[in-house]
Amino acid sequence: MTTTVLEIDGLSVATPDGRTLVHDCTLAVSAGESLGLVGESGSGKTLSTRAVAGLLPAGFTTGGTIRLAGHDLASLPGAELRELRATRMGMAFQTPRAHLNPLRTIGDFMTEALVALAGEAPEAAYRRAVDLLAEVGIRDPDRRMRQRPGELSGGLLQRVMIAATLAMDPPLLLADEITTALDVTTQEEVMAVIADLRRHRDLALLFITHDLALAGAVCDRVAVMQAGRTVETLAAATMREDAREPYTRRLLSASLPDEAAGIRQARRSDTVLEVAGLRKAYQVRAAGRGRGREELLAVDNVSFALAAGGALGIVGESGSGKSTTARMICGLETADGGTVTVKHEDWTAPARSAPARRARARVVQMVFQDPYQSLDPRQTVRSCLAEAVAVHRRIASRAEIAARVDALLDAVRLAPALAGSRPRALSGGQRQRVAIARALAADPEILVLDEAVSALDVTTQVEILTLLDSIRRETGVALLMISHDLTTVRRLCDHVAVMQAGRIVEQGPIADVLDAPRSDYTRTLLDSIPRPGWTPQRRLPARIVTSGGTR
Amino acid sequence: MSIGQLARGRTPAPARRAAAHDPLLIAAALVLVAVIGIALLGPLRSPYDPDQLYAGAVSAPPSLAHPFGTDDLGRDVLSRVLAGARPSIAGPVIVVAVSTMLGVAVAVASAWFGGAVDGIASRLVDVIFAIPGLVLAVLAVAMFGKGLLAPVVALSIAYMPIVVRLVRAGARAELGRPYIAALRIQGVGSLAICFRHLLPALLPTILAQATVGFGYAMLDIAAISFLGLGAQPPASDWGVMIAGGQPALLTGAPEQSMFPAALIVLTVLAVNIVGARTTTWAEAKDR
Amino acid sequence: MSANAIRQLAAKLGGLLLTLLLASIAIFFAVALTPGDPVTALAGGVRPTPELIEAIRAEHHLDDPVWMQYLRWVGGVLQGDLGTSFVYKTPVAELIAPRIGISLLLVAYAVVLITVFGIGSGILAAVRGPRADRAVLVGTSIGVAMPTFVVAILLIWVFGRVLGWFPVYGTGEGLLDNLYHLTLPAISLAVLYIAYMSRITRGAIVAQQHAEHVDTARVRGLSPSRIFRRHVLLNASPQILAVSGATIAGLIAVSAVA
Amino acid sequence: MGGIGSLLTEAAARKDLPVVQVLSLLLVTVFVVLNAVVDVVIAIIDPDSVKSRRSA
């Protein structure tokens, strides 16, 4: 007989000013089971989880029932509630760096609950903490115990956080987007740790994520949330066949595309952009006790070519140098070596004067990752686009500019009614459309997309990628897509280059590289993508130290 | 939307509507309008000549003839308070205007050019910051003699570092945001980026600091006048009046000091309230 | 202490000395370039004869280049020779020595008041609910608008004259009597800074209360008082400390003037 | 008050420059040293702060 460790029934959450953000969240997690709670931003999955954990902001009210280990949370007085949560559940968060006290050592963090709540002696608590760190695969735990969060990488911190949740041997772990901020290979490490823990401890898992593919790959069942409601709960293994709700189907097709359909044929034509032997070094303070400074090669001998009207993806994890490469092409950084050639002109040195920058702007434009940060929050959509238009056609009349702005809005499928809005009033997808429209204002021949869809929900990602693809077909603009995500690159690009630690380890037509990878690293990247039947592996020894690695 | 944003609640109501429901803000604004009105028109409307001695009424308590009473020389306190508004307000206004303009210019140049410009500016600011405002003001008085000019110039310089630090930090953060990079890639000129995007973004910070600075400048200048180093008697500067009323205070005629003192406190209070509200509003608008 | 920490400490110390050097140059040259001939001041009101001028110039090395005079001045200050007052014709050190004790006592008194009431009321505002918050906000709003000397005359009037609880002039004999006499000045000195510290403290604590690492502590079941002490207050302390350092330093300047 | 304050204001009023100079320098020194001490204390509580504080 299985016991239910967490049961949420008809949960609603309302703000102090009376808006109901969660209407009906209903789910149950049995001992040893793993349930994925999936939904896009604003679906209410995080608020529901925080209601369970008692972390709603002051003044928020809840309805419905939450039963943790058989106890109705609403019926317990404060101190007992605290003890119940402390012993029956652990919770890990999305950003471990923000969720660990930066001023206290890992040792303080690991032992605090053991000493203060379980009443263990400091020495016993210390030994237990070291064991827990070892259990989540942290080598040299004694050294880690003395360090502070600032000295550890994100992947390590996430494992520290998971280890700490185990201190009181809880039967349930709430994991709120625990791998969202991590590289895919680090995500695989963390998921492998979680899988081991569940095997050895019979731990139940409530896995909150926006990534349906990941939830499907690591959970037994998946509950899908939309607009504050759990719309359906499916067995992970058969969710593709069982899904009834249109929203779930849309999520599924966005998250787990048919692989064959995405492959595009490479085209050969004129080269519009050529990068040869590009190099960028940063002076960094030497690590450890050493004195002086050392060079960090962010970009090391990078060469590739982009065909006119083509689409090249540059893929790599954080710190691989892919964004620095893009910024050098756009003149935001100066290269230390190598050349950037655009349309047979040498563009290696950034343009100094505004007219020179304008001339280049008519050839190369860029779309940034965070559409909110890349628009001036004080400017309306219209004035933002009008500014971009006016820069390039200095004598254009007001009416001509307005007409051009309307044409741009139409090109990115944005309703003209939104022209008067400021970025704050737009959704993430709408903001990114504005950013694309602004980039198109100059009629560029190359569009550099720096993680342009990675901050968006998956369904929105697909919309934006579709838009970009049709713009490419209509205008013949070449795309250079910087991304950490092989799946998105596969959707849009015909060629791909894989970067690791500043170097290109492999490049070629997309079908060749992704279906028959020649380098180990590409293979590792492909293997770490969650998919049905996926078993996350611990690959620590094989990993080459990048900035995301151990320090 | 993050939990933090949710906790902050609905997007703020339009400023004008919010202001109408904020009695404190209205009161503060009224005080400010009144004080500025007095500064501009007061001397013309004052019942008596502020420097005229009325021998018949020395240290007289408030009466119908002299609503605020008279001082130890028999001068009408109300007339003197009205006449004192202009010098008492003008000093802080100049200090804030000069220090803000200098500070913003240095800060923006530092953040924009970085490197050596930033290094030199930071060192300069550190040195000025090390000399407290009042000390610099007293030093200036020792150099150039008593009067309002020297302290006002000294405080304008002394208040600059705090403006530079705040605005420079804000400017650096703003310049690091992708929308500035996007503008540069568009080929938008540096001056246009500065005036159309950077400065408007920094406006809440600058405004907030200016109002806080005004309060401190008013207190500092009043203190200098009170000590006899600033405006000189028989001038009717508020600080001077408070000092002049001190002996009467101990003999039981507090109003000679209290009226100008109350005006200083009210003015600073009102500026602080209006400043705080304006800043919150400007920040909410940008978010 | 790690090599890194020592290096940073050395850099800090170097910056401090450089700042002091530049500030001393600024102060000296500002005064040296003051309009008006110091000889007139040195002669002490008498209309100086040419011989007297010569003598004075020679005695005070006024014919040396300015930077020589600066070096002589700094060298003197470092060796305890603070120069001679124009007005009293006595060594400056002798003027300062008898007064510095009372000034230090006054500042120390005010610092205690600021720490206790400023930080205390800030914590109160942050943790005791909206009503306490509002009350402290009103108090601090008025506090930051009060000039030191206005507080002083108010206190003198109320406690000195109307109530007669505290002496309004003199510094008294002996430490306790000193403190008694310094109470009103210390309060007047402290009010503005109490209000300021209170606001900073409240802001720093509220920011930490909303920090994500506090969520972690809460979900682990730690008691509210423990979370407050070890996660909120500890993390707010650098900011509070940074401001209180500047505050106390500023206070010393104000006490020296007002 | 019989403290440093009255000495400094009086000296400034009477253009007693040596006194003003020395007292200014004294106050500046106290100001700078005190701030440095606080910086060190903060660095002990929060070692990571040292790198970021200068730019703040």
Side-chain angles (χ1 to χ4, degrees), chain A residues 272-276 278 328-329 331 335 337-352 356 360 364:
Chain A
V272 66
L273 163 72
E274 192 169 358
V275 168
L278 206 58
M328 284 190 283
I329 292 167
T339 53
V340 176
T341 312
V342 176
K343 294 173 73 184
H344 312 293
E345 280 178 49
D346 184 12
W347 277 30
T348 312
R352 298 235 169 268
R360 288 193 183 183
V364 176

PDB file of all heavy atoms in Angstrom, chain A residues 272-276 278 328-329 331 335 337-352 356 360 364:
ATOM      1  N   VAL A 272      28.447  35.967 -46.849  1.00  0.00           N
ATOM      2  CA  VAL A 272      28.192  37.361 -46.483  1.00  0.00           C
ATOM      3  C   VAL A 272      29.049  37.743 -45.276  1.00  0.00           C
ATOM      4  O   VAL A 272      29.428  38.898 -45.104  1.00  0.00           O
ATOM      5  CB  VAL A 272      26.685  37.593 -46.253  1.00  0.00           C
ATOM      6  CG1 VAL A 272      26.193  36.821 -45.043  1.00  0.00           C
ATOM      7  CG2 VAL A 272      26.376  39.067 -46.103  1.00  0.00           C
ATOM      8  N   LEU A 273      29.346  36.754 -44.432  1.00  0.00           N
ATOM      9  CA  LEU A 273      30.155  37.019 -43.241  1.00  0.00           C
ATOM     10  C   LEU A 273      31.198  35.927 -43.105  1.00  0.00           C
ATOM     11  O   LEU A 273      30.880  34.741 -43.212  1.00  0.00           O
ATOM     12  CB  LEU A 273      29.250  37.028 -41.989  1.00  0.00           C
ATOM     13  CG  LEU A 273      29.956  36.884 -40.638  1.00  0.00           C
ATOM     14  CD1 LEU A 273      30.723  38.150 -40.280  1.00  0.00           C
ATOM     15  CD2 LEU A 273      28.965  36.553 -39.530  1.00  0.00           C
ATOM     16  N   GLU A 274      32.446  36.353 -42.885  1.00  0.00           N
ATOM     17  CA  GLU A 274      33.481  35.353 -42.694  1.00  0.00           C
ATOM     18  C   GLU A 274      34.324  35.750 -41.492  1.00  0.00           C
ATOM     19  O   GLU A 274      34.782  36.888 -41.381  1.00  0.00           O
ATOM     20  CB  GLU A 274      34.360  35.248 -43.937  1.00  0.00           C
ATOM     21  CG  GLU A 274      35.258  34.030 -43.871  1.00  0.00           C
ATOM     22  CD  GLU A 274      35.937  33.748 -45.208  1.00  0.00           C
ATOM     23  OE1 GLU A 274      35.675  34.486 -46.174  1.00  0.00           O
ATOM     24  OE2 GLU A 274      36.724  32.798 -45.250  1.00  0.00           O
ATOM     25  N   VAL A 275      34.486  34.804 -40.599  1.00  0.00           N
ATOM     26  CA  VAL A 275      35.277  35.047 -39.401  1.00  0.00           C
ATOM     27  C   VAL A 275      36.465  34.116 -39.465  1.00  0.00           C
ATOM     28  O   VAL A 275      36.301  32.921 -39.728  1.00  0.00           O
ATOM     29  CB  VAL A 275      34.422  34.749 -38.148  1.00  0.00           C
ATOM     30  CG1 VAL A 275      35.292  34.701 -36.912  1.00  0.00           C
ATOM     31  CG2 VAL A 275      33.330  35.787 -37.999  1.00  0.00           C
ATOM     32  N   ALA A 276      37.673  34.662 -39.267  1.00  0.00           N
ATOM     33  CA  ALA A 276      38.865  33.819 -39.385  1.00  0.00           C
ATOM     34  C   ALA A 276      39.804  34.035 -38.208  1.00  0.00           C
ATOM     35  O   ALA A 276      40.212  35.161 -37.927  1.00  0.00           O
ATOM     36  CB  ALA A 276      39.590  34.111 -40.698  1.00  0.00           C
ATOM     37  N   LEU A 278      39.496  34.246 -35.070  1.00  0.00           N
ATOM     38  CA  LEU A 278      39.100  35.277 -34.104  1.00  0.00           C
ATOM     39  C   LEU A 278      39.555  34.899 -32.690  1.00  0.00           C
ATOM     40  O   LEU A 278      39.494  33.742 -32.279  1.00  0.00           O
ATOM     41  CB  LEU A 278      37.578  35.428 -34.121  1.00  0.00           C
ATOM     42  CG  LEU A 278      37.023  36.780 -33.705  1.00  0.00           C
ATOM     43  CD1 LEU A 278      37.575  37.883 -34.596  1.00  0.00           C
ATOM     44  CD2 LEU A 278      35.508  36.765 -33.785  1.00  0.00           C
ATOM     45  N   MET A 328      31.717  40.628 -30.892  1.00  0.00           N
ATOM     46  CA  MET A 328      32.817  41.138 -31.716  1.00  0.00           C
ATOM     47  C   MET A 328      32.348  41.390 -33.146  1.00  0.00           C
ATOM     48  O   MET A 328      32.739  42.366 -33.775  1.00  0.00           O
ATOM     49  CB  MET A 328      33.986  40.143 -31.692  1.00  0.00           C
ATOM     50  CG  MET A 328      34.760  40.204 -30.379  1.00  0.00           C
ATOM     51  SD  MET A 328      36.289  39.268 -30.422  1.00  0.00           S
ATOM     52  CE  MET A 328      35.695  37.615 -30.247  1.00  0.00           C
ATOM     53  N   ILE A 329      31.480  40.528 -33.639  1.00  0.00           N
ATOM     54  CA  ILE A 329      30.975  40.716 -35.005  1.00  0.00           C
ATOM     55  C   ILE A 329      30.159  42.004 -35.086  1.00  0.00           C
ATOM     56  O   ILE A 329      30.210  42.732 -36.065  1.00  0.00           O
ATOM     57  CB  ILE A 329      30.127  39.493 -35.429  1.00  0.00           C
ATOM     58  CG1 ILE A 329      31.035  38.278 -35.583  1.00  0.00           C
ATOM     59  CG2 ILE A 329      29.369  39.772 -36.717  1.00  0.00           C
ATOM     60  CD1 ILE A 329      30.292  36.971 -35.695  1.00  0.00           C
ATOM     61  N   GLY A 331      30.607  44.637 -33.264  1.00  0.00           N
ATOM     62  CA  GLY A 331      31.376  45.807 -32.885  1.00  0.00           C
ATOM     63  C   GLY A 331      31.184  46.235 -31.449  1.00  0.00           C
ATOM     64  O   GLY A 331      31.543  47.350 -31.069  1.00  0.00           O
ATOM     65  N   ALA A 335      38.204  42.668 -31.100  1.00  0.00           N
ATOM     66  CA  ALA A 335      38.925  41.395 -31.186  1.00  0.00           C
ATOM     67  C   ALA A 335      40.402  41.621 -30.880  1.00  0.00           C
ATOM     68  O   ALA A 335      40.963  42.671 -31.188  1.00  0.00           O
ATOM     69  CB  ALA A 335      38.754  40.789 -32.572  1.00  0.00           C
ATOM     70  N   GLY A 337      42.586  39.358 -31.996  1.00  0.00           N
ATOM     71  CA  GLY A 337      43.291  38.747 -33.116  1.00  0.00           C
ATOM     72  C   GLY A 337      42.280  38.180 -34.085  1.00  0.00           C
ATOM     73  O   GLY A 337      41.106  38.058 -33.761  1.00  0.00           O
ATOM     74  N   GLY A 338      42.745  37.856 -35.315  1.00  0.00           N
ATOM     75  CA  GLY A 338      41.852  37.312 -36.317  1.00  0.00           C
ATOM     76  C   GLY A 338      41.117  38.414 -37.056  1.00  0.00           C
ATOM     77  O   GLY A 338      41.357  39.596 -36.815  1.00  0.00           O
ATOM     78  N   THR A 339      40.239  38.015 -37.957  1.00  0.00           N
ATOM     79  CA  THR A 339      39.539  39.007 -38.769  1.00  0.00           C
ATOM     80  C   THR A 339      38.050  38.698 -38.851  1.00  0.00           C
ATOM     81  O   THR A 339      37.627  37.552 -38.765  1.00  0.00           O
ATOM     82  CB  THR A 339      40.075  39.028 -40.216  1.00  0.00           C
ATOM     83  OG1 THR A 339      40.020  37.692 -40.726  1.00  0.00           O
ATOM     84  CG2 THR A 339      41.490  39.542 -40.274  1.00  0.00           C
ATOM     85  N   VAL A 340      37.290  39.770 -39.002  1.00  0.00           N
ATOM     86  CA  VAL A 340      35.867  39.665 -39.305  1.00  0.00           C
ATOM     87  C   VAL A 340      35.686  40.323 -40.656  1.00  0.00           C
ATOM     88  O   VAL A 340      36.020  41.497 -40.827  1.00  0.00           O
ATOM     89  CB  VAL A 340      35.016  40.401 -38.250  1.00  0.00           C
ATOM     90  CG1 VAL A 340      33.544  40.365 -38.646  1.00  0.00           C
ATOM     91  CG2 VAL A 340      35.220  39.816 -36.864  1.00  0.00           C
ATOM     92  N   THR A 341      35.217  39.563 -41.635  1.00  0.00           N
ATOM     93  CA  THR A 341      35.029  40.125 -42.966  1.00  0.00           C
ATOM     94  C   THR A 341      33.553  40.066 -43.317  1.00  0.00           C
ATOM     95  O   THR A 341      32.938  38.997 -43.276  1.00  0.00           O
ATOM     96  CB  THR A 341      35.824  39.329 -44.018  1.00  0.00           C
ATOM     97  OG1 THR A 341      37.152  39.147 -43.524  1.00  0.00           O
ATOM     98  CG2 THR A 341      35.860  40.067 -45.330  1.00  0.00           C
ATOM     99  N   VAL A 342      32.991  41.248 -43.622  1.00  0.00           N
ATOM    100  CA  VAL A 342      31.588  41.299 -43.993  1.00  0.00           C
ATOM    101  C   VAL A 342      31.512  41.840 -45.411  1.00  0.00           C
ATOM    102  O   VAL A 342      32.012  42.938 -45.687  1.00  0.00           O
ATOM    103  CB  VAL A 342      30.785  42.198 -43.032  1.00  0.00           C
ATOM    104  CG1 VAL A 342      29.341  42.309 -43.503  1.00  0.00           C
ATOM    105  CG2 VAL A 342      30.830  41.630 -41.615  1.00  0.00           C
ATOM    106  N   LYS A 343      30.910  41.085 -46.275  1.00  0.00           N
ATOM    107  CA  LYS A 343      30.791  41.489 -47.684  1.00  0.00           C
ATOM    108  C   LYS A 343      32.137  41.966 -48.232  1.00  0.00           C
ATOM    109  O   LYS A 343      32.242  43.047 -48.809  1.00  0.00           O
ATOM    110  CB  LYS A 343      29.736  42.579 -47.841  1.00  0.00           C
ATOM    111  CG  LYS A 343      28.335  42.067 -47.511  1.00  0.00           C
ATOM    112  CD  LYS A 343      27.324  43.194 -47.503  1.00  0.00           C
ATOM    113  CE  LYS A 343      27.013  43.665 -48.917  1.00  0.00           C
ATOM    114  NZ  LYS A 343      26.105  44.818 -48.895  1.00  0.00           N
ATOM    115  N   HIS A 344      33.170  41.195 -47.983  1.00  0.00           N
ATOM    116  CA  HIS A 344      34.522  41.449 -48.479  1.00  0.00           C
ATOM    117  C   HIS A 344      35.158  42.713 -47.912  1.00  0.00           C
ATOM    118  O   HIS A 344      36.146  43.212 -48.444  1.00  0.00           O
ATOM    119  CB  HIS A 344      34.555  41.474 -50.021  1.00  0.00           C
ATOM    120  CG  HIS A 344      33.849  40.294 -50.606  1.00  0.00           C
ATOM    121  ND1 HIS A 344      34.314  39.008 -50.465  1.00  0.00           N
ATOM    122  CD2 HIS A 344      32.682  40.202 -51.306  1.00  0.00           C
ATOM    123  CE1 HIS A 344      33.474  38.167 -51.057  1.00  0.00           C
ATOM    124  NE2 HIS A 344      32.466  38.874 -51.565  1.00  0.00           N
ATOM    125  N   GLU A 345      34.583  43.271 -46.855  1.00  0.00           N
ATOM    126  CA  GLU A 345      35.234  44.405 -46.180  1.00  0.00           C
ATOM    127  C   GLU A 345      35.735  43.948 -44.816  1.00  0.00           C
ATOM    128  O   GLU A 345      35.085  43.125 -44.167  1.00  0.00           O
ATOM    129  CB  GLU A 345      34.228  45.543 -45.957  1.00  0.00           C
ATOM    130  CG  GLU A 345      33.970  46.400 -47.165  1.00  0.00           C
ATOM    131  CD  GLU A 345      32.934  47.456 -46.835  1.00  0.00           C
ATOM    132  OE1 GLU A 345      33.075  48.138 -45.788  1.00  0.00           O
ATOM    133  OE2 GLU A 345      31.957  47.573 -47.593  1.00  0.00           O
ATOM    134  N   ASP A 346      36.850  44.520 -44.401  1.00  0.00           N
ATOM    135  CA  ASP A 346      37.395  44.147 -43.100  1.00  0.00           C
ATOM    136  C   ASP A 346      36.675  44.923 -41.994  1.00  0.00           C
ATOM    137  O   ASP A 346      36.762  46.152 -41.937  1.00  0.00           O
ATOM    138  CB  ASP A 346      38.905  44.447 -43.064  1.00  0.00           C
ATOM    139  CG  ASP A 346      39.502  43.983 -41.745  1.00  0.00           C
ATOM    140  OD1 ASP A 346      38.818  43.254 -41.002  1.00  0.00           O
ATOM    141  OD2 ASP A 346      40.652  44.358 -41.457  1.00  0.00           O
ATOM    142  N   TRP A 347      35.992  44.208 -41.139  1.00  0.00           N
ATOM    143  CA  TRP A 347      35.224  44.832 -40.063  1.00  0.00           C
ATOM    144  C   TRP A 347      35.816  44.535 -38.693  1.00  0.00           C
ATOM    145  O   TRP A 347      35.136  44.686 -37.671  1.00  0.00           O
ATOM    146  CB  TRP A 347      33.781  44.299 -40.077  1.00  0.00           C
ATOM    147  CG  TRP A 347      32.887  45.000 -41.041  1.00  0.00           C
ATOM    148  CD1 TRP A 347      33.228  45.588 -42.213  1.00  0.00           C
ATOM    149  CD2 TRP A 347      31.464  45.157 -40.908  1.00  0.00           C
ATOM    150  NE1 TRP A 347      32.128  46.100 -42.843  1.00  0.00           N
ATOM    151  CE2 TRP A 347      31.031  45.854 -42.059  1.00  0.00           C
ATOM    152  CE3 TRP A 347      30.537  44.784 -39.953  1.00  0.00           C
ATOM    153  CZ2 TRP A 347      29.687  46.173 -42.255  1.00  0.00           C
ATOM    154  CZ3 TRP A 347      29.216  45.098 -40.160  1.00  0.00           C
ATOM    155  CH2 TRP A 347      28.789  45.799 -41.302  1.00  0.00           C
ATOM    156  N   THR A 348      37.063  44.090 -38.668  1.00  0.00           N
ATOM    157  CA  THR A 348      37.605  43.622 -37.391  1.00  0.00           C
ATOM    158  C   THR A 348      37.599  44.716 -36.329  1.00  0.00           C
ATOM    159  O   THR A 348      37.228  44.500 -35.188  1.00  0.00           O
ATOM    160  CB  THR A 348      39.030  43.092 -37.584  1.00  0.00           C
ATOM    161  OG1 THR A 348      39.030  42.213 -38.701  1.00  0.00           O
ATOM    162  CG2 THR A 348      39.503  42.357 -36.350  1.00  0.00           C
ATOM    163  N   ALA A 349      38.035  45.936 -36.721  1.00  0.00           N
ATOM    164  CA  ALA A 349      38.031  47.046 -35.771  1.00  0.00           C
ATOM    165  C   ALA A 349      36.622  47.624 -35.691  1.00  0.00           C
ATOM    166  O   ALA A 349      35.991  47.841 -36.722  1.00  0.00           O
ATOM    167  CB  ALA A 349      39.020  48.113 -36.210  1.00  0.00           C
ATOM    168  N   PRO A 350      36.123  47.872 -34.492  1.00  0.00           N
ATOM    169  CA  PRO A 350      34.781  48.455 -34.366  1.00  0.00           C
ATOM    170  C   PRO A 350      34.727  49.837 -35.020  1.00  0.00           C
ATOM    171  O   PRO A 350      35.719  50.568 -35.029  1.00  0.00           O
ATOM    172  CB  PRO A 350      34.579  48.569 -32.851  1.00  0.00           C
ATOM    173  CG  PRO A 350      35.576  47.650 -32.240  1.00  0.00           C
ATOM    174  CD  PRO A 350      36.727  47.606 -33.175  1.00  0.00           C
ATOM    175  N   ALA A 351      33.579  50.180 -35.558  1.00  0.00           N
ATOM    176  CA  ALA A 351      33.401  51.498 -36.161  1.00  0.00           C
ATOM    177  C   ALA A 351      33.500  52.563 -35.087  1.00  0.00           C
ATOM    178  O   ALA A 351      32.927  52.407 -34.008  1.00  0.00           O
ATOM    179  CB  ALA A 351      32.045  51.556 -36.846  1.00  0.00           C
ATOM    180  N   ARG A 352      34.253  53.620 -35.354  1.00  0.00           N
ATOM    181  CA  ARG A 352      34.445  54.644 -34.323  1.00  0.00           C
ATOM    182  C   ARG A 352      33.326  55.686 -34.343  1.00  0.00           C
ATOM    183  O   ARG A 352      32.779  56.034 -33.319  1.00  0.00           O
ATOM    184  CB  ARG A 352      35.796  55.339 -34.519  1.00  0.00           C
ATOM    185  CG  ARG A 352      36.960  54.398 -34.376  1.00  0.00           C
ATOM    186  CD  ARG A 352      37.961  54.889 -33.322  1.00  0.00           C
ATOM    187  NE  ARG A 352      38.919  53.827 -33.025  1.00  0.00           N
ATOM    188  CZ  ARG A 352      38.746  52.951 -32.054  1.00  0.00           C
ATOM    189  NH1 ARG A 352      37.690  53.010 -31.275  1.00  0.00           N
ATOM    190  NH2 ARG A 352      39.656  52.003 -31.851  1.00  0.00           N
ATOM    191  N   ALA A 356      29.804  55.812 -39.342  1.00  0.00           N
ATOM    192  CA  ALA A 356      30.363  54.513 -39.692  1.00  0.00           C
ATOM    193  C   ALA A 356      29.520  53.400 -39.076  1.00  0.00           C
ATOM    194  O   ALA A 356      29.275  52.369 -39.705  1.00  0.00           O
ATOM    195  CB  ALA A 356      31.807  54.406 -39.209  1.00  0.00           C
ATOM    196  N   ARG A 360      27.367  50.370 -40.969  1.00  0.00           N
ATOM    197  CA  ARG A 360      27.424  48.940 -40.633  1.00  0.00           C
ATOM    198  C   ARG A 360      26.062  48.426 -40.185  1.00  0.00           C
ATOM    199  O   ARG A 360      25.720  47.270 -40.404  1.00  0.00           O
ATOM    200  CB  ARG A 360      28.451  48.703 -39.524  1.00  0.00           C
ATOM    201  CG  ARG A 360      29.864  48.859 -40.037  1.00  0.00           C
ATOM    202  CD  ARG A 360      30.856  48.329 -39.032  1.00  0.00           C
ATOM    203  NE  ARG A 360      32.209  48.563 -39.522  1.00  0.00           N
ATOM    204  CZ  ARG A 360      33.293  48.154 -38.875  1.00  0.00           C
ATOM    205  NH1 ARG A 360      33.162  47.509 -37.729  1.00  0.00           N
ATOM    206  NH2 ARG A 360      34.487  48.377 -39.364  1.00  0.00           N
ATOM    207  N   VAL A 364      24.517  44.648 -40.499  1.00  0.00           N
ATOM    208  CA  VAL A 364      24.408  43.697 -39.397  1.00  0.00           C
ATOM    209  C   VAL A 364      23.543  44.276 -38.281  1.00  0.00           C
ATOM    210  O   VAL A 364      23.750  45.414 -37.858  1.00  0.00           O
ATOM    211  CB  VAL A 364      25.798  43.358 -38.816  1.00  0.00           C
ATOM    212  CG1 VAL A 364      25.649  42.438 -37.606  1.00  0.00           C
ATOM    213  CG2 VAL A 364      26.657  42.689 -39.857  1.00  0.00           C
TER     214      VAL A 364
END
